[in-house]
Amino acid sequence: MSGAEFTGPPPAAAGPLEPWPETVRWQPISRDLIWVELVRLAVLVAVVVVAVTIGWALSGHWLFGLGLAVILLLTAARAVSIVRAVRAWGYAERENDLLVRHGLLVRRLSIVPYARMQFVDVSAGPLERAFDLATVQLHTAAAASDARVPGLRPAEASRLRDRLTALGEDRAEGL
């Protein structure tokens, strides 16, 4: 080595999504969304398990037993992924746009400019209401750029809806 000291390989360049932008202050969603998703999974699995069990009882074929074991194994794996997926959700309000991130294997970062928003929905199904949660859905002219933020408390969802609507109107006037 000609006077230069080797310190190891150069640091790998971060991609556009890895890590999430560090200059942004991310707001997490409520962890209660985990329970909402687990209840949804449990209802679906219960229906499938009942159907497989009836098939097994009527036919007595061992493949139904194997199917039941596979269903339970996949359910456990899905439950773990639900916990991780809910923890991956986040949103950040910036001066000119809203950032929404989510995803485990495929990470998605949506940036929605306030000036491009057409309207903002707040929705809460029966299960979400039972856990005191709501979802904010942003709609733009391009359907592919719509973004949603699930798992918000109703007060936060209303605040976010009102703020986004006000910012959208202010920015749209400047176009």
Side-chain angles (χ1 to χ4, degrees):
M1 295 190 162
S2 58
E5 192 173 313
F6 181 72
T7 59
L17 296 177
E18 187 64 49
W20 301 111
E22 293 178 11
T23 59
V24 175
R25 185 170 170 250
W26 293 103
Q27 300 295 324
I29 62 171
S30 174
R31 298 294 187 241
D32 286 344
L33 186 60
I34 293 170
W35 293 109
V36 171
E37 295 300 325
L38 288 175
V39 168
R40 286 181 183 151
L41 177 64
V43 169
L44 175 66
V45 169
V47 169
V48 173
V49 165
V50 166
V52 170
T53 303
I54 290 171
W56 194 9
L58 293 177
S59 74
H61 199 277
W62 65 272
L63 279 178
F64 283 102
L66 179 62
L68 193 58
V70 168
I71 289 168
L72 295 177
L73 183 65
L74 292 175
T75 299
R78 178 64 184 138
V80 169
S81 73
I82 284 173
V83 172
R84 294 192 63 222
V86 168
R87 290 181 178 162
W89 275 96
Y91 67 99
E93 301 170 63
R94 296 196 304 185
E95 185 177 338
N96 295 313
D97 49 30
L98 178 77
L99 279 64
V100 181
R101 70 175 188 184
H102 63 94
L104 293 174
L105 294 177
V106 177
R107 292 186 175 187
R108 182 175 180 142
L109 175 63
S110 299
I111 302 173
V112 183
Y114 298 134
R116 300 292 181 205
M117 286 189 286
Q118 291 184 330
F119 63 96
V120 181
D121 278 335
V122 175
S123 63
L127 194 53
E128 286 177 307
R129 286 193 311 271
F131 285 90
D132 195 34
L133 297 176
T135 297
V136 173
Q137 177 81 39
L138 305 136
H139 299 276
T140 63
S145 65
D146 289 357
R148 71 183 183 98
V149 183
L152 298 176
R153 296 288 175 211
E156 173 63 8
S158 295
R159 184 205 65 81
L160 186 59
R161 177 201 59 214
D162 294 345
R163 182 168 191 280
L164 294 176
T165 301
L167 288 169
E169 289 171 356
D170 290 347
R171 301 300 193 276
E173 289 174 4
L175 291 179

